[in-house]
Structure formats: structure tokens, C-alpha cells
Amino acid sequence: MGELTHCQEIERSLIKRFRKPIWNAFTKAVKTYELIKPGDHIAVCISGGKDSMLMAKCMQHLHRYSQIPFEISFLCMNPGYAEENWSLIQQNAQTLQLPMHTFTTRIFDVVEKQLRHPCYLCARMRRGHLYNAAQNLGCNKIALGHHFDDVIETILMGMLYGSQTQTMMPKLHSANFPGMELIRPLYLVREADIIRWAEANDLQFLQCACKMTVQHPEQETMSKRKETKALIAQLRKTNPGVEKNIFNSVCNVNLRTIISYHEGNVYHHFLDDYDQ
């Protein structure tokens, strides 16, 4: 048997060295939240970062060996990257043997002119373009690379900065693209394990490369996420299970101990039936 290629070594690491923290966590999320169903055609969205590239390799491997019949297409948008960043994405896709469908937008140019909530606008515009491109490929789902740490950070950010209890869901029906759905296959994968996987395979991926991050870091919404990430790291020093506890807090909600909540447009308050 000949020497393994770099791509083969990377693929092998997923089911050998990183089987428990990455592959098993990935397949657990797929099964637990029923992310993939027979007949699905999933647009695996690649941003160029470590998370989406890992997700693409996991989805590719699952597609090869899964007993569930489904199709995948690798979709990558260039929202206005600098040439060196766009080249890095293409080089990594070639190394990982990911045949990408690519398209270009001017999202960065539009977002650059927005002084308020540029990251929110960027995310919304990106998702809309991805849904549209996925539909054109005949897909009924898009897969994004959000991981477990994104989920728990979102929970805390909602509480600390948004005055609400909510989380990043493992899957969502699109409100603006009927028949389309969003799934997050890395939902249970830890970011530290993704970093270890990239380093173990000598892979260098794109960081956030938008103009707003470079020119106006103090306005970057990601600063709140970094602040939340640092808070969790500090709490972990005295409570090793803090991440799981944060996640479980939105899995074990007791509505009888909630002052008020809304379900769609319907608002509920504990006084509604308190004396009944």
C-alpha cells in the first residue's frame, strides 16, 4: 500500500485520531436533530474558515458511506475578499478535494457603508445569497459551520446584551425561502477540537477578512462574542462543566418558573393562569 496523500491523511484523522471529539459529535448531531433525511440535496456552505472547511469534509465523508440517500453540493461565495484571501480558500478546497460551486457578490462594499450593526447586516445578506444560490443548484437545505461554542456564546450574549433567553437552533425553516431549511451539523463539536484538527493536519484557514474588522475593530459585533468567550473561559477555571450547563439550561426549561415568554406572536405571562 502506497503512501497516503495529504487529503487522505486529513480524512483518516477524522475517523481515527479525532473520531470521538469530531466525527462522533458530528454524527450525533445529525442523528439527534434529524438534520439529514432521505432525498435531501444539501448545499454545504464554505466560508473559508476552519469550521466550514471541517464541516465540508465531514459531510463529504458521510455522503460516501451513509445508508441515507442524499446529495451534497459545496457552495462558496466571494463577498468581496482580497485576492490573497480568495486564493487561500481555493487552495484549501483543492487540498481537501472539495469541488466548490463559487459565485461573487458585493456584500463587503455594501456593509462597509453601514455604521450601525454591520456584522448583523453582513450575516443576513450572506444567508440570503446562499439560500438563493442553493435553490438554483436544486438544493432544499443549506448547511452552516456553527459549532458548540457558537451555541453557548449565543445563549449568554442573548441574556447579557439582548435581555432574552434564546439559542442558535440546530435547524430552522427559512422564513423568506419557502421549502428551504438551514442545518448546523457541527452543533455538538467543540471549537478547541476543530483547532486541534487543523493544527494536526498543518492546515491554515481564513480568519474573518471583511473590511469592517480591519478598519473598525472597535465597532465589530464580534467584540461582544470575544468578551463572552473570555467570560466562559474564566468561569471554566472554577467550573469545568460550565459549557454543558449553559447548553442544558435551554434544554431543561420549566415554563412554570418563567415570568413570561412568547410563542410566535402569542405572549404568555405566568399570571394568565396563576389563580386557576
Side-chain angles (χ1 to χ4, degrees):
M1 184 175 179
E3 251 184 66
L4 296 177
T5 65
H6 190 196
C7 183
Q8 288 173 329
E9 291 176 345
I10 293 169
E11 292 171 349
R12 184 179 177 84
S13 73
L14 283 177
I15 57 172
K16 293 294 184 179
R17 179 175 176 180
F18 294 96
R19 186 178 189 88
K20 183 177 179 180
I22 292 181
W23 180 252
N24 287 356
F26 162 76
T27 55
K28 181 180 179 181
V30 170
K31 294 175 183 177
T32 301
Y33 304 113
E34 300 178 356
L35 302 185
I36 300 175
K37 296 184 177 180
D40 279 345
H41 186 173
I42 303 169
V44 180
C45 300
I46 297 173
S47 67
K50 64 185 188 313
D51 309 326
S52 64
M53 286 289 191
L54 170 64
M55 175 188 65
K57 288 307 294 181
C58 288
M59 291 291 288
Q60 185 182 58
H61 190 75
L62 183 66
H63 177 249
R64 287 173 183 165
Y65 300 105
S66 175
Q67 295 181 351
I68 299 176
F70 71 97
E71 295 301 322
I72 56 174
S73 295
F74 300 106
L75 184 61
C76 184
M77 173 178 59
N78 181 352
Y81 290 129
E83 186 58 39
E84 60 270 23
N85 291 328
W86 184 236
S87 294
L88 176 61
I89 293 173
Q90 293 174 307
Q91 290 168 14
N92 281 331
Q94 185 174 9
T95 297
L96 297 172
Q97 295 182 11
L98 299 170
M100 298 189 306
H101 297 272
T102 64
F103 66 102
T104 301
T105 67
R106 299 181 61 250
I107 290 177
F108 283 176
D109 289 340
V110 174
V111 172
E112 186 180 17
K113 301 173 184 177
Q114 302 296 318
L115 297 179
R116 290 176 57 83
H117 311 300
C119 296
Y120 174 79
L121 176 62
C122 183
R124 294 276 296 184
M125 292 180 67
R126 280 173 179 254
R127 190 168 300 181
H129 280 289
L130 289 171
Y131 270 127
N132 186 65
Q135 278 191 326
N136 291 337
L137 290 174
C139 299
N140 66 308
K141 293 181 178 180
I142 64 171
L144 301 185
H146 298 112
H147 48 66
F148 184 82
D149 295 68
D150 291 324
V151 177
I152 61 173
E153 289 161 14
T154 298
I155 295 170
L156 273 190
M157 288 174 68
M159 295 174 66
L160 299 176
Y161 304 113
S163 302
Q164 57 190 339
T165 300
Q166 63 176 16
T167 190
M168 182 180 286
M169 298 298 287
K171 63 180 181 180
L172 291 168
H173 290 293
S174 172
N176 300 316
F177 293 83
M180 293 294 292
E181 194 173 353
L182 179 156
I183 63 173
R184 295 184 168 105
L186 297 186
Y187 199 76
L188 300 178
V189 178
R190 298 299 309 270
E191 183 178 28
D193 293 316
I194 299 175
I195 293 172
R196 290 197 304 117
W197 170 79
E199 292 176 346
N201 288 290
D202 195 26
L203 294 168
Q204 299 295 323
F205 294 117
L206 186 67
Q207 303 296 321
C208 183
C210 73
K211 297 176 182 177
M212 290 301 295
T213 303
V214 175
Q215 297 176 3
H216 306 286
E218 73 285 352
Q219 296 183 20
E220 177 57 49
T221 300
M222 287 299 291
S223 64
K224 295 301 182 186
R225 187 168 291 275
K226 290 177 181 177
E227 185 177 317
T228 305
K229 188 185 293 288
L231 173 60
I232 295 172
Q234 182 65 32
L235 293 172
R236 191 190 308 122
K237 293 178 181 179
T238 55
N239 182 2
V242 67
E243 289 97 342
K244 288 185 178 180
N245 291 339
I246 294 171
F247 179 76
N248 288 336
S249 72
V250 294
C251 299
N252 300 319
V253 177
N254 183 349
L255 293 182
R256 291 191 176 276
T257 64
I258 299 297
I259 299 294
S260 61
Y261 68 96
H262 59 85
E263 188 173 5
N265 295 323
V266 181
Y267 178 82
H268 302 273
H269 194 280
F270 87 101
L271 289 177
D272 294 343
D273 58 4
Y274 179 76
D275 290 323
Q276 294 180 12

